[in-house]
Amino acid sequence: MKIRLFTLIFFFTTVFFLSNGQDAKALSCAEPGSPQESLERYSGAVYGEVKQIKVDLKQEGLTGTKEKIKYILVEVERSWNTEVDSQIIVATDYTWGFNFKKGNKYLIYISKGDGELSSSPCSSTIEMNNLNQATELFGEGSQPKQQVNLEHKMWFMFEHDIDLYIVVAIVVVAISIFVMRARKKKG
């Protein structure tokens, strides 16, 4: 009796710890230096207003690790060392990323990689009220190369895992079709 109880407790404890495991991340940032040094370190910088903030759950394949990424939609007024459209979507780390607020304007250092723009948690993002502050640091910069509207791309970002819901919906539809065919054959 004791062996069975011990085995059950061991089994449930093991399952609990394995199913609730979380990834730990360490953050090690170098000293940022001057704004010009930061501009050289990254692909470029943009100045603009944050229009939307969304968190999306990313996963490699069906069984890969899940990671939350914060995406910000920025209405760009100027850029330096890179040419961008009037709106861009910038990925930033969910845990360590800068605490952007909708409606505020920022100077954001960006990098290009894996087909998206990103802002490192180690970059020295600066909240600025007007464009003159940024142009004093870097000069006039570039106007957006074309007018775009990327708000529709933000619609499909979900913080919650919807894979399970999709599988359940497919199973329910398949069972419904099977039941309807079975009734048709009987009737």
Side-chain angles (χ1 to χ4, degrees):
M1 180 70 171
K2 288 183 182 180
I3 293 175
R4 286 184 185 169
L5 183 60
F6 177 73
T7 304
L8 277 172
I9 292 171
F10 177 76
F11 175 74
F12 285 116
T13 304
T14 303
V15 169
F16 175 76
F17 281 113
L18 291 178
S19 66
N20 287 325
Q22 295 181 354
D23 293 337
K25 295 182 180 181
L27 182 63
S28 175
C29 290
E31 290 296 318
S34 71
Q36 286 77 14
E37 290 172 346
S38 294
L39 185 60
E40 291 172 12
R41 197 174 309 131
Y42 298 101
S43 300
V46 296
Y47 173 80
E49 180 181 347
V50 172
K51 292 294 193 181
Q52 285 186 40
I53 301 170
K54 286 274 193 121
V55 176
D56 195 17
L57 188 65
K58 293 288 183 185
Q59 180 178 5
E60 291 183 25
L62 291 175
T63 59
T65 57
K66 296 177 184 177
E67 179 180 13
K68 288 184 179 181
I69 298 175
K70 187 186 305 182
Y71 288 95
I72 56 171
L73 177 67
V74 180
E75 185 77 37
V76 177
E77 292 181 32
R78 291 283 164 83
S79 63
W80 294 269
N81 284 8
T82 187
E83 283 192 6
V84 295
D85 293 333
S86 63
Q87 286 189 344
I88 59 172
I89 297 175
V90 180
T92 185
D93 190 276
Y94 178 74
T95 309
W96 300 105
F98 190 83
N99 189 21
F100 292 98
K101 291 183 175 58
K102 183 178 175 183
N104 290 0
K105 294 184 177 187
Y106 299 92
L107 175 69
I108 305 168
Y109 294 95
I110 57 172
S111 298
K112 295 178 183 177
D114 296 332
E116 67 181 10
L117 297 173
S118 62
S119 173
S120 168
C122 296
S123 70
S124 50
T125 297
I126 306 167
E127 185 174 352
M128 292 184 170
N129 293 330
N130 63 46
L131 180 61
N132 293 336
Q133 292 173 297
T135 56
E136 285 176 13
L137 290 173
F138 304 123
E140 283 302 310
S142 302
Q143 297 278 348
K145 59 182 177 182
Q146 66 179 345
Q147 289 296 115
V148 297
N149 186 348
L150 299 179
E151 290 183 25
H152 65 281
K153 289 189 175 188
M154 300 291 278
W155 295 343
F156 301 105
M157 295 182 185
F158 300 101
E159 185 172 350
H160 303 289
D161 191 6
I162 62 170
D163 295 347
L164 180 62
Y165 298 120
I166 292 171
V167 170
V168 168
I170 291 171
V171 168
V172 167
V173 168
I175 290 172
S176 299
I177 291 171
F178 179 75
V179 168
M180 288 179 4
R181 285 187 178 173
R183 285 184 181 174
K184 217 178 216 184
K185 285 183 182 180
K186 286 184 179 181

